[in-house]
Amino acid sequence: MPVATFILPASLALQLLSAAAPAAKSAPKAVPAKPTVTAKRAAPVYAQATAEKLIGPALTDGHAYARLAELTDGIGPRLSGSPGAEAAVQWALRSFKADGVKAWLEPVKVPHWVRGEASGEVLASERTRGHPLALLALGGSPPTAPEGLTAEVVEVTSLEQLESLGAAVKGKFVFFNHTMTVAADYGRFAGLRSRGPAAAAKHGAVGALVRSLATASLRTPHTGATNFPSEGPRIPAASVATEDADLLHRLLAGGPVRVKLMLGSSELPDADSSNVVAEIRGREKPQEIVLIGAHLDSWDVGTGAHDDGAGVVMVMEAARLIAKLPQAPRRTVRVVLFMNEENGLRGGRAYAEAHAAELPRHVGALEMDAGGGRPVSVSVRAGEGGQDLLRPWLPPLTALGVTQFSAREAGGADISPLMPARVPFFGVEVDSSRYFDVHHTEADTLDKVDPQDLARSTAAVAWMTYALAEMPGTLTRPEAPAPRGPAPVTVPAQQSKTSGN
Amino acid sequence: MPVATFILPASLALQLLSAAAPAAKSAPKAVPAKPTVTAKRAAPVYAQATAEKLIGPALTDGHAYARLAELTDGIGPRLSGSPGAEAAVQWALRSFKADGVKAWLEPVKVPHWVRGEASGEVLASERTRGHPLALLALGGSPPTAPEGLTAEVVEVTSLEQLESLGAAVKGKFVFFNHTMTVAADYGRFAGLRSRGPAAAAKHGAVGALVRSLATASLRTPHTGATNFPSEGPRIPAASVATEDADLLHRLLAGGPVRVKLMLGSSELPDADSSNVVAEIRGREKPQEIVLIGAHLDSWDVGTGAHDDGAGVVMVMEAARLIAKLPQAPRRTVRVVLFMNEENGLRGGRAYAEAHAAELPRHVGALEMDAGGGRPVSVSVRAGEGGQDLLRPWLPPLTALGVTQFSAREAGGADISPLMPARVPFFGVEVDSSRYFDVHHTEADTLDKVDPQDLARSTAAVAWMTYALAEMPGTLTRPEAPAPRGPAPVTVPAQQSKTSGN
């Protein structure tokens, strides 16, 4: 998808814009006055040559996909505290330096949960000879006793239903079932995974089984973090494949069902890890920072290609391409590869704490963490006029399929700790309709990422990052979020439905 | 989908047909002479009431799906020689008796292969930190040594390429890669699984890895039988998920790849098992037999819902519904639930041997073994005039989506031993476009079968079975197949592409 050659200095473009507007107004009434494509292209607020230098290579050089192969095929899974996570940190540091982008590590203490072995089965009864269960321990789950945990199963479909059952779940497995069918359902049901087991434990349940948060399944369990408040009881918790959830539901319709679960997980002492930070210093306003981020950690199943290898290479590529421009943009572009988005958000919090003094000078922050799908829109979270400020920068993205703003505000788990400092957010929204086919599963592998989609989203991220760093004005700062009471969950419950966690 | 009430004795219908034809010919030219739907319906060769009694319940009573749940949820996997297979035999016998259909067991000695544990990994190298492989031992594979088998990998995409490499594969894993993307590709590539490992062993390979024969994958390995000639070397052989095949291919592009494989399979002495045979004796020509079959065994992963639980319940239901008719059809309907289609075809062979004297009186044989999809056509394998004989019986299937004959001949693995006796075959072809998403995997479970599709195919099987058993004439017998040389494969290589094996 080559980009047409149309070079026009920004200053001249602005003159043409001024000149063109009155001319259009004086046109005879018989001729429609709406601006033509040509008229629009005659008045960019940016240098077309820069759009070409960022978008052209992103669409043609295959660099993002090759880098994603290094991260997924080469390094593989990278759960916080694991050797894979450390290897990814070193790889990222090396890669930034190879790109000529200044980079360094910032320390983060991370949880160090290790999955171990896991198995489970429906025990034989009058209605079945028994079945193995396709399951994965949820991140943060304690182990069962080595001989396993056997109990009857109680099905609920909401936290409210669990509350109404109360002590009736004592001594049992609570089985959280739900009706997720499409990606947009994730936000509705993710609380069953993140908060359900703790709520079940509070009522005396001995274990929890959660239907996978999935839009496709071939006996494919989806892991993810579950959270226990530090003072409450902790019980073994696993996700089961949707097929196995359906099986439990069918068997429960006929009478009691007993399950045996064995989890060999362990929680080791917190480990030393790092955020990887890289920077291209601004040419005019280096003190103003445009942050672009993604999370370097992944789950320990699959290779985290969509979650969040794709986001990682998009922002790394954006920095590499911006660093190759003849001159740096006005403001500083800072890349942050956060550690521990998946099961702790320690990297996001560490960044916000370490850079607290700088946050008033963060003029924009983006996090890519919804997979490597094609770009569909630009999002923003700012005070008044945010979209108006960005709109003139959208035309180079038209051929990539991005012509409008998302109805949703920009955001991301790792940048959410920047909200109290009123940092404006921007984003490139991608098609994540198939994201939950593989999210947090063994199937999140390189082959699931389409090279063309990844290239287009990389191009859009590079361009929008440049826009924020180069535009004359800055986004007005949004209101600070309302203060919240203490929440038992590690990740905010109001998390965007396509965020990684 | 209720069936319209339109009762007309077959004899009267034939009179009306004779009367109507000349009338149509003498119509004025201005009126199109093509028969109308009404004219067609005025002349059935069957009693409409019978069509209603077979098709109506099949579409509305949910019995086929409920029975499939008993077989899959209740009994589960049923590999030859396993307790599940024996439980399925007893279940089928009980069920036929409950339906008022006379049933008995016929002995079959079956192979008794047990999967055991399996694991594998790509070992670390300069290009990768290593990866676990999603794999399943192929049925019939010998085990590795307990400490595993480690060797370099050589990729081939055809048996011809393997032959040209010859001794170059000595001491290595041969990795059989291919480009299956749609169900119709199965026949092209299934030989890599069934015959590839034996061919690799002949050239001194120490192991074989076969890309799964799959049309969808979420790190989903597909098992299946591999065959070693009794006199040749046997090597451990496993199927790998398509994702892992892609990974091996990518890594091999960069240099040598070493894999470690551990298989704990074992081949126990042949076990005693059974075909389950059931029969509705014909009212006029009981010595003439219409055989309808499916295979009761399944692989040991998943619960064999599509392969071949769906086929089993279709033919059981056909018998149940025919047995409930006010009078039996002219000929005997015999149901055979074959044992050991998947890894030996012993049941199909045992039936042909035990009933050799009767085979000249088998006037038709059907095997349902392409999953529980919706019916799409009727197939036949007979001498001259087969389609013409069946065509007048198709109208009741119109609303089920069956209006035509398949371009493909009817067939089935278990009935293939009837070919030398020139038994005519008929069949109901089903939509198997998604069959290879789950075929021979952990994901072949009840939820994958659509109740409506299953009901429609069940109705079509019941009706076509009745047609063969009731029609005045019989299919002419096809030519016997050309004799073949001794083949090293257990299942004929020319097997229909959607057959179960």
Side-chain angles (χ1 to χ4, degrees), chain B residues 387-403:
Chain B
Q387 291 188 5
D388 293 339
L389 198 71
L390 296 179
R391 190 171 288 110
W393 295 79
L394 296 193
L397 304 184
T398 300
L400 306 181
V402 178
T403 57

Side-chain angles (χ1 to χ4, degrees), chain B residues 173-186:
Chain B
F173 280 107
V174 173
F175 160 43
F176 294 91
N177 205 357
H178 57 79
T179 56
M180 178 172 180
T181 54
V182 296
D185 290 336
Y186 185 71

Side-chain angles (χ1 to χ4, degrees), chain A residues 138-161:
Chain A
L138 292 179
S141 171
T144 63
E147 69 274 18
L149 170 65
T150 300
E152 215 176 89
V153 175
V154 179
E155 177 176 348
V156 302
T157 56
S158 68
L159 296 175
E160 294 69 24
Q161 191 187 356

Side-chain angles (χ1 to χ4, degrees), chain A residues 72-88:
Chain A
T72 54
D73 286 359
I75 291 171
R78 40 198 185 278
L79 185 60
S80 292
S82 70
E86 183 55 27

Side-chain angles (χ1 to χ4, degrees), chain B residues 71-417:
Chain B
L71 182 58
T72 54
D73 286 359
I75 291 171
R78 41 198 186 278
L79 185 61
S80 292
S82 70
E86 183 54 27
V89 164
Q90 297 303 325
W91 166 84
L93 194 61
R94 260 194 333 267
S95 301
F96 279 124
K97 289 180 177 172
D99 292 346
V101 178
K102 180 184 162 195
W104 63 91
L105 304 185
E106 298 188 356
V108 184
K109 274 278 186 194
V110 294
H112 190 182
W113 180 82
V114 177
R115 177 173 304 281
E117 297 294 312
S119 66
E121 59 181 310
V122 173
L123 298 180
S125 69
E126 283 172 15
R127 296 180 310 290
T128 180
R129 296 180 62 254
H131 290 275
L133 290 169
L135 57 79
L136 282 172
L138 292 179
S141 171
T144 63
E147 68 273 19
L149 170 65
T150 300
E152 216 176 89
V153 175
V154 178
E155 177 177 347
V156 302
T157 56
S158 69
L159 296 175
E160 292 70 24
Q161 191 187 356
L162 172 63
E163 290 307 313
S164 73
L165 285 174
V169 306
K170 193 171 176 181
K172 300 185 176 170
F173 280 107
V174 173
F175 160 43
F176 294 91
N177 205 357
H178 57 79
T179 56
M180 178 172 180
T181 54
V182 296
D185 290 336
Y186 185 71
R188 285 172 62 197
F189 299 119
L192 297 180
R193 187 197 72 211
S194 59
R195 290 178 283 143
K202 202 183 63 179
H203 290 297
V206 295
L209 301 169
V210 183
R211 182 190 182 96
S212 288
L213 295 159
T215 46
S217 188
L218 292 169
R219 292 293 288 287
T220 317
H222 293 230
T223 190
T226 197
N227 304 287
F228 295 100
S230 50
E231 72 284 4
R234 300 160 70 86
I235 55 175
S239 63
V240 296
T242 59
E243 290 92 335
D244 299 74
D246 288 343
L247 174 71
L248 288 171
H249 179 79
R250 291 193 300 268
L251 292 175
L252 283 165
V257 173
R258 287 171 70 78
V259 158
K260 180 174 180 178
L261 178 70
M262 283 190 285
L263 301 183
S265 50
S266 50
E267 188 78 55
L268 304 181
D270 283 1
D272 288 318
S273 189
S274 315
N275 289 333
V276 183
V277 187
E279 195 168 276
I280 300 159
R281 191 175 162 82
R283 74 172 190 278
E284 284 182 11
K285 300 179 172 182
Q287 75 285 3
E288 291 188 6
I289 295 162
V290 176
L291 185 158
I292 58 175
H295 67 86
L296 194 51
D297 65 308
S298 76
W299 278 105
D300 54 342
V301 294
T303 58
H306 274 294
D307 187 14
D308 184 23
V312 164
V313 301
M314 287 179 203
V315 296
M316 290 177 80
E317 281 296 287
R320 186 180 71 89
L321 294 168
I322 291 170
K324 287 173 69 178
L325 291 176
Q327 63 173 11
R330 280 197 178 89
R331 301 182 185 83
T332 292
V333 171
R334 181 178 290 173
V335 185
V336 184
L337 304 182
F338 296 97
M339 181 53 63
N340 188 226
E341 189 272 347
E342 293 294 4
N343 60 335
L345 214 63
R346 300 278 186 90
R349 290 178 177 148
Y351 181 87
E353 282 172 29
H355 296 269
E358 275 182 342
L359 297 187
R361 295 187 279 107
H362 279 56
V363 301
L366 158 150
E367 180 166 13
M368 296 304 295
D369 185 19
R374 69 187 169 84
V376 294
S377 61
V378 167
S379 57
V380 62
R381 182 179 185 277
E384 287 268 311
Q387 291 188 5
D388 293 339
L389 198 71
L390 296 179
R391 190 171 288 110
W393 295 79
L394 296 193
L397 304 184
T398 300
L400 306 181
V402 178
T403 57
Q404 58 187 359
F405 287 94
S406 171
R408 201 162 78 189
E409 288 197 325
D414 292 300
I415 57 175
S416 63

